[in-house]
Amino acid sequence: MSVTHEFPKDFWWGAATSGPQSEGRFHKAHRSVFDYWFDTEPAAFFDGIGPNVASNFYNDYRADIALMKQIGLNSVRTSIQWTRLIKDFETGETDPDGVRFYNNVIDEFVRQGIRPVLNLHHFDLPVELYEKYGGWASKHVVDLFALFAKRCFELFGDRVKDWVTFNEPMVVVEGEYLYEFHYPKLVDGKQACQVLYNLNLASAKAIAEFRKSTCAQLGGRIGIVLNLTPAYPRSDQPEDVAAAKFAEDYKNNSFLDPAVHGYFTKDLVDVLKTDGVLWESTTEEIELIAKNTVDFLGINYYQPFRAQRREIPYDDAQGWLPEKHFQQYHMPGCRMNPYRGWEIYPKAIYDIAIHVRDHLSNIPWYISENGMGVEGEERFRNADGFIEDDYRIDFIKEHLQWLHKAMQEGSNCFGYHLWTPIDCWSWSNAYKNRYGLIALDLVTQEKTIKKSGLWMHDVIQNHGF
Ligand code: BG6
């Protein structure tokens, strides 16, 4: 195969999943907010399917990792569930079965020559910490998270070199406190701002623990995974540009700037202060955030965000929401993934890469998630029994072409991870849309490599396509 898009020999080719979406709830001592939500409102989940079995990674991890190896993935991200590893959240006492399980998983990745990238939080707050303290609105919970992080570094830092504090903390803010798509489904803009701050603080506190750990001394690295939705204005009219600027500051820079530069975006702080919704912080916390920035960035890119000035006046009776300063613009004729309802705009990956190069000190970064969720993929299963997902191959190719161009122009990207290795459970969408390189039969739990998995195998072998 002749390669027109060549990537570095040590490029991370991989895929990402998470504990709560793959493991199943087997032998877990505690419930996460998602476990609790499913137990109390199963109808909120597509086809009434919750996280109980997921893709059965808890029992199948050896065979699953072997399939990942068969594709040739050299790195895989998953997450450690707080609710599985820790028995007592206040003291950090660990659960023996949780320790055994994650040790086995890590050992198996290492044995198979796959670099394990471990994330500490993937939307899976222990529900007890929400009930007792108010979850991420509480600074005590921030400290408990740092304790959990410390335990993870102590237990697994000898073998895991790449750590992530949070996956998509903005989704916690938006899903739980603004737009009601994650439990507890609140609409409370002021609390959302405090949670946004507390998540940044929790990430910095976990990084501070990491810096003290032997893992850091052994050359380990720590980063954060952010979902970036680059904000494009409807037009170049100043009001549309200003609307997009606020959306960019709120949705993206609110985590990017503290993570990479150690400070909060001044323009954002000014607006939140004027609006009376700025978070409570102390000088010590701000210093801690300044000192504990990341070694690398993971960027999840799925869709852009298009913004316009407000045309419908903002109704203050609903309290403060970021939409006070912009309105979402639904661009006519844009390319959509109809199953997920997300715009497909591959060029944004290039824009992100150039932004990292020019405004984020060209920090080492990788695409930690990108992917296409498709409903009803069984209809693409051919006579030989495997799924012909050419649309996914095209989707990945287009994104990689833009990424390649940005790397040629100097962006410091070291990898590409697809969401996801094996079709997994997608929160309230459950198994509606499939994202994997490997198909999961929900009834038999049989797992088979899709055409995209075979294609990815060749890309990895050839260091490009
Ligand atoms: C990301 C998350 O937002 O996108 C994953 O990190 C998630 O957890 C993925 O599954 C795809 O989104 P969804 O909502 O279709 O599952």
Side-chain angles (χ1 to χ4, degrees):
M1 183 164 115
S2 78
V3 172
T4 52
H5 295 81
E6 196 179 354
F7 288 81
K9 296 276 182 285
D10 58 353
F11 200 63
W12 284 13
W13 292 108
T17 185
S18 75
Q21 292 176 271
S22 63
E23 291 169 12
R25 285 168 67 181
F26 312 98
H27 299 294
K28 222 155 63 97
H30 298 278
R31 292 195 288 184
S32 72
V33 280
F34 271 93
D35 299 332
Y36 173 82
W37 186 17
F38 177 68
D39 289 347
T40 50
E41 200 190 347
F45 294 78
F46 187 79
D47 276 350
I49 299 178
N52 294 356
V53 178
S55 57
N56 198 28
F57 188 67
Y58 181 86
N59 299 303
D60 264 5
Y61 69 91
R62 278 208 176 87
D64 287 2
I65 294 172
L67 281 170
M68 297 177 204
K69 177 70 184 171
Q70 214 176 308
I71 292 176
L73 306 183
N74 60 23
S75 47
V76 168
R77 174 168 63 105
T78 186
S79 69
I80 297 177
Q81 294 197 70
W82 197 351
T83 48
R84 183 184 290 293
L85 187 76
I86 301 293
K87 194 169 179 181
D88 183 329
F89 301 121
E90 306 291 333
T91 64
E93 183 193 340
T94 50
D95 180 293
D97 189 67
V99 175
R100 179 199 59 81
F101 172 68
Y102 289 117
N103 267 326
N104 287 348
V105 167
I106 290 164
D107 288 346
E108 189 61 19
F109 273 124
V110 173
R111 202 176 70 79
Q112 293 279 11
I114 297 176
R115 181 178 200 128
V117 182
L118 282 200
N119 166 32
L120 300 175
H121 194 81
H122 205 117
F123 317 155
D124 54 340
L125 177 81
V127 72
E128 284 159 68
L129 300 185
Y130 177 70
E131 282 164 355
K132 262 194 188 162
Y133 303 114
W136 288 115
S138 150
K139 291 196 182 165
H140 181 58
V141 171
V142 169
D143 289 334
L144 297 183
F145 177 73
L147 178 58
F148 158 57
K150 181 173 187 265
R151 287 283 176 273
C152 292
F153 307 142
E154 286 165 357
L155 287 164
F156 313 119
D158 56 332
R159 286 151 291 157
V160 178
K161 301 292 167 222
D162 305 281
W163 291 91
V164 168
T165 57
F166 282 88
N167 176 79
E168 302 191 347
M170 196 57 190
V171 168
V172 174
V173 175
E174 294 189 335
E176 296 186 22
Y177 294 90
L178 292 173
Y179 309 129
E180 302 174 271
F181 60 89
H182 284 184
Y183 179 85
K185 297 186 280 175
L186 306 176
V187 182
D188 184 338
K190 182 152 169 64
Q191 219 184 145
C193 290
Q194 187 64 51
V195 166
L196 184 157
Y197 171 81
N198 287 359
L199 289 166
N200 274 296
L201 179 63
S203 180
K205 286 200 169 182
I207 294 173
E209 288 300 339
F210 184 77
R211 300 278 176 243
K212 290 185 258 168
S213 71
T214 43
C215 180
Q217 285 137 30
L218 292 171
R221 301 187 306 169
I222 192 157
I224 192 166
V225 163
L226 303 176
N227 55 310
L228 296 191
T229 48
Y232 297 101
R234 171 181 61 175
S235 74
D236 53 14
Q237 298 280 311
E239 296 88 345
D240 285 339
V241 172
K245 160 86 170 85
F246 182 80
E248 181 74 18
D249 282 347
Y250 190 80
K251 288 173 174 292
N252 302 323
N253 295 334
S254 59
F255 283 100
L256 270 179
D257 281 341
V260 177
H261 298 307
Y263 54 73
F264 286 93
T265 320
K266 185 176 177 309
D267 290 351
L268 175 68
V269 170
D270 289 348
V271 174
L272 299 183
K273 208 182 266 173
T274 309
D275 288 354
V277 291
L278 189 65
W279 46 76
E280 280 174 23
S281 61
T282 67
T283 315
E284 295 79 51
E285 290 167 359
I286 296 291
E287 277 169 12
L288 191 126
I289 291 170
K291 278 195 203 132
N292 292 286
T293 55
V294 295
D295 299 319
F296 69 92
L297 266 181
I299 295 178
N300 294 355
Y301 172 67
Y302 289 93
Q303 56 170 340
F305 183 78
R306 303 202 182 264
Q308 63 172 73
R309 67 168 169 259
R310 288 214 60 90
E311 279 173 355
I312 308 162
Y314 187 76
D315 176 9
D316 281 313
Q318 62 191 313
W320 186 89
L321 290 177
E323 280 71 9
K324 189 175 166 77
H325 301 285
F326 60 81
Q327 240 176 259
Q328 184 166 11
Y329 169 53
H330 298 282
M331 189 170 79
C334 67
R335 225 171 117 192
M336 293 294 290
N337 168 354
Y339 314 103
R340 189 60 181 82
W342 285 348
E343 182 181 341
I344 298 179
Y345 184 60
K347 179 179 176 280
I349 233 171
Y350 171 83
D351 295 340
I352 288 171
I354 297 303
H355 181 77
V356 176
R357 186 193 69 185
D358 295 347
H359 301 286
L360 297 166
S361 320
N362 209 11
I363 188 170
W365 71 283
Y366 79 115
I367 288 289
S368 38
E369 284 181 34
N370 176 229
M372 188 183 182
V374 172
E375 190 169 359
E377 280 201 321
E378 277 305 314
R379 78 195 125 119
F380 301 113
R381 210 180 265 281
N382 68 14
D384 297 328
F386 83 97
I387 288 179
E388 298 193 341
D389 53 345
D390 294 85
Y391 43 85
R392 180 164 293 109
I393 297 173
D394 293 341
F395 178 97
I396 301 171
K397 249 192 207 167
E398 274 190 90
H399 285 79
L400 280 176
Q401 278 161 350
W402 281 109
L403 182 63
H404 184 264
K405 178 173 159 57
M407 289 170 66
Q408 297 291 98
E409 294 172 23
S411 188
N412 198 6
C413 175
F414 62 82
Y416 177 89
H417 278 191
L418 188 79
W419 184 266
T420 187
I422 299 171
D423 288 343
C424 67
W425 180 77
S426 268
W427 316 112
S428 59
N429 274 334
Y431 277 101
K432 176 179 173 289
N433 302 315
R434 305 304 184 96
Y435 285 87
L437 294 166
I438 298 162
L440 167 73
D441 183 319
L442 263 191
V443 180
T444 62
Q445 283 286 331
E446 202 191 333
K447 291 156 183 165
T448 46
I449 296 179
K450 300 179 193 174
K451 188 172 176 182
S452 58
L454 301 178
W455 177 80
M456 189 54 99
H457 174 268
D458 290 346
V459 171
I460 298 169
Q461 292 290 305
N462 296 316
H463 305 289
F465 59 96

